């Protein structure tokens, strides 16, 4: 079995060694320009068109959870990957735990008013503030798939009212489920902390805009952990400045790296990280890919296949 690998920033030698050891009989090589030799599987992130085009592959694996960049490339170059070749993405593979850490720590930060205490510290001002009440701190997850469900699971023991919004209804213990566009207003009403874990699709671009933010509880918080294009940054800044929103925690941006001139950098109530909420954990990803290739080789169904029409 021949496997080609391409990632613009990963330690390719680690992956080649780990995959070669994990998959019996696999010959794994780094794909380089001009390589048209046979391959059964391709493991990719931001692949050049010529890497995949014209190959009779059994499957392609995206080396991340979000497949928006490869799907948008496919729109421009459908010849890169004919419909009959399945595209898989990484499901969790260690990202669930990272999202749990990120979301729980930030929700608790806001709930215990550490943002306010930091602001008071700037003024050398000593003042114990009134506690927030759990029942006023409803956490709403936009997107309740692999990562959203893990975040809900980690938040559950903290006792905040939890709800999620997704395409189809979910049955997660202790989580109120809202489904479809018609239930979005009910989901937003009363949500105090909004955590975005939607995929980037034609339907979700710009979803966190003025209209949506206005429907949240007053003095609410927004955490964007999915993609920058979900959030209309100018609307977020307006909502913060009007007092509708109390704070935002952003991991992803409309442009990455975020340009130095972005007003987000200087805003006192915007906390930021540089797209690190959850990164691909190589060992877990190799396990998942090994398992999935094993199932495909036996003609058995495997999870993680991207629905190209749906866009995620
Ligand atoms: N910031 C970071 O470091 C990372 C960000 N991500 C982002 O997180 C996203 C989510 O990842 P997973 O949970 O693995 O995806 P998933 O496919 O398992 O879950 C997606 C969820 O969104 C919902 N959804 C999709 N379209 C919808 C619509 N139009 N209306 C209502 N609900 C809709 C689905 O029903 C599902 O609940 C990825 O697509 C990626 O963009 C993923 C990993 C790391
Ligand atoms: O896996 C993804 O989609 C990511 O955003 C990784 O950072």
């Amino acid at each position: 079995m021949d496997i080609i690998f391409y990632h613009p920033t990963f330690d390719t030698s680690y992956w080649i060694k780990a995959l070669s050891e994990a998959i019996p009989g696999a010959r794994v090589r780094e794909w380089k320009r001009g390589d048209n030799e046979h391959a059964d599987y391709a493991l990719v992130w931001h692949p050049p068109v010529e890497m995949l085009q014209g190959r009779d592959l059994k499957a392609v694996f995206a080396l991340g959870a979000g497949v928006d960049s490869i799907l948008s490339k496919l729109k421009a170059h459908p010849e890169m990957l004919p419909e009959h070749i399945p595209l898989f993405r990484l499901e969790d593979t260690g990202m669930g735990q990272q999202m749990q850490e990120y979301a729980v720590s930030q929700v608790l930060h806001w709930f215990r008013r550490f943002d306010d205490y930091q602001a008071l510290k700037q003024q050398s001002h000593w003042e114990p503030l009134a506690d927030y009440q759990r029942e006023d701190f409803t956490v709403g997850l936009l997107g309740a798939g692999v990562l959203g469900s893990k975040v809900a699971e980690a938040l559950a023991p903290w006792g905040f009212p939890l709800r999620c919004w997704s395409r189809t209804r979910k049955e997660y213990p202790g989580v109120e489920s809202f489904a479809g566009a018609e239930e979005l207003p009910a989901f937003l009403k009363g949500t105090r902390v909004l955590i975005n874990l939607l995929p980037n699709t034609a339907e979700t671009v710009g979803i966190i805009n003025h209209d949506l933010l206005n429907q949240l509880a007053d003095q609410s918080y927004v955490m964007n952990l999915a993609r920058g294009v979900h959030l209309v940054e100018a609307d977020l800044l307006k909502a913060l400045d009007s007092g509708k929103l109390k704070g935002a925690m952003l991991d992803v941006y409309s442009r990455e790296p975020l340009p130095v001139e972005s007003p987000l950098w200087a805003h006192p109530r915007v906390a930021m990280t540089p797209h690190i909420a959850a990164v691909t954990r190589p060992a877990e990803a190799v396990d998942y890919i090994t398992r999935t290739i094993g199932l495909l080789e036996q003609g058995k169904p495997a999870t993680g296949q991207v629905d190209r029409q749906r866009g995620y």
Side-chain angles (χ1 to χ4, degrees):
M1 175 195 305
D2 290 299
I3 300 177
I4 46 177
F5 180 96
Y6 176 86
H7 195 294
T9 57
F10 280 1
D11 174 1
T12 302
S13 54
Y14 168 88
W15 284 78
I16 290 181
K17 184 167 180 289
L19 287 158
S20 309
E21 285 169 6
I23 306 174
R27 290 176 297 275
V28 190
R29 67 181 191 272
E30 179 180 12
W31 179 84
K32 294 201 173 121
R33 277 192 197 283
D35 173 353
N36 294 318
E37 295 301 310
H38 171 262
D40 297 290
Y41 295 96
L43 277 46
V44 300
W45 196 244
H46 298 297
V49 175
E50 65 167 292
M51 175 183 181
L52 301 180
Q53 189 177 339
R55 282 186 188 278
D56 187 20
L57 293 161
K58 293 182 184 172
V60 171
F61 289 85
L63 294 168
V67 284
D68 44 343
S69 72
I70 190 165
L71 291 184
S72 88
K73 203 165 205 179
L74 271 172
K75 275 221 170 76
H77 301 279
E79 74 284 5
M80 184 167 113
L81 197 61
E83 294 277 351
H84 70 272
I85 300 178
L87 171 64
F88 287 84
R89 70 185 190 96
L90 297 182
E91 286 191 309
D92 193 334
T93 62
M95 287 185 260
Q97 186 183 31
Q98 296 170 70
M99 287 296 185
Q100 290 178 324
E101 293 159 356
Y102 195 116
V104 170
S105 60
Q106 189 60 30
V107 170
L108 294 178
H109 181 89
W110 284 325
F111 179 63
R112 292 303 310 268
R113 306 193 64 169
F114 291 159
D115 50 347
D116 291 321
Y117 286 116
Q118 267 170 10
L120 291 177
K121 177 179 179 288
Q122 299 296 320
Q123 302 158 33
S124 308
H125 180 75
W126 177 285
E127 184 189 347
L129 301 169
D131 287 346
Y132 284 155
Q133 302 306 307
R134 273 184 167 61
E135 59 271 26
D136 300 330
F137 230 71
T138 297
V139 180
L141 290 153
L142 269 186
V146 173
L147 300 177
S149 63
K150 292 290 281 197
V151 167
E153 188 186 301
L155 282 166
W158 292 98
F160 303 110
L162 290 176
R163 53 174 68 166
C164 67
W165 181 71
S166 47
R167 187 187 289 276
T168 54
R169 204 167 305 287
K170 306 289 180 189
E171 288 192 15
Y172 301 138
V175 184
E176 191 181 0
S177 167
F178 297 78
E182 57 291 352
E183 293 185 14
L184 183 59
F187 163 82
L188 295 169
K189 193 172 153 50
T191 289
R192 184 78 182 274
V193 180
L194 184 76
I195 303 179
N196 178 34
L197 275 166
L198 285 167
N200 169 16
T201 68
E203 288 169 19
T204 64
V205 168
I207 189 168
I208 309 175
N209 55 26
H210 172 77
D211 180 48
L212 178 145
L213 294 171
N214 247 344
Q215 296 177 63
L216 294 172
D218 287 343
Q219 295 276 295
S220 55
Y221 306 84
V222 168
M223 211 186 296
N224 190 12
L225 307 184
R227 287 291 183 263
V229 291
H230 288 132
L231 172 69
V232 180
E233 288 166 357
D235 289 1
L236 177 91
L237 288 164
K238 275 191 205 131
L240 285 163
D241 293 339
S242 74
K244 175 72 188 173
L245 282 190
K246 179 114 188 287
M249 176 85 222
L250 307 179
D251 184 56
V252 287
Y253 309 88
S254 55
R255 278 179 62 200
E256 296 180 8
L258 184 65
V260 282
E261 59 274 17
S262 167
L264 292 170
W265 288 109
H267 199 288
R269 282 181 287 120
V270 176
M272 290 163 42
T273 49
H275 199 147
I276 49 74
V279 299
T280 296
R281 293 274 189 243
E284 283 96 328
V286 166
D287 272 356
Y288 164 77
I289 293 166
T290 303
R291 248 190 346 267
T292 305
I293 289 181
L295 290 169
L296 298 178
E297 288 291 306
Q298 295 170 59
K300 291 186 179 160
T303 65
Q305 187 170 343
V306 174
D307 179 333
R308 284 170 61 171
Q309 261 55 55
R310 209 175 53 171
Y312 68 100

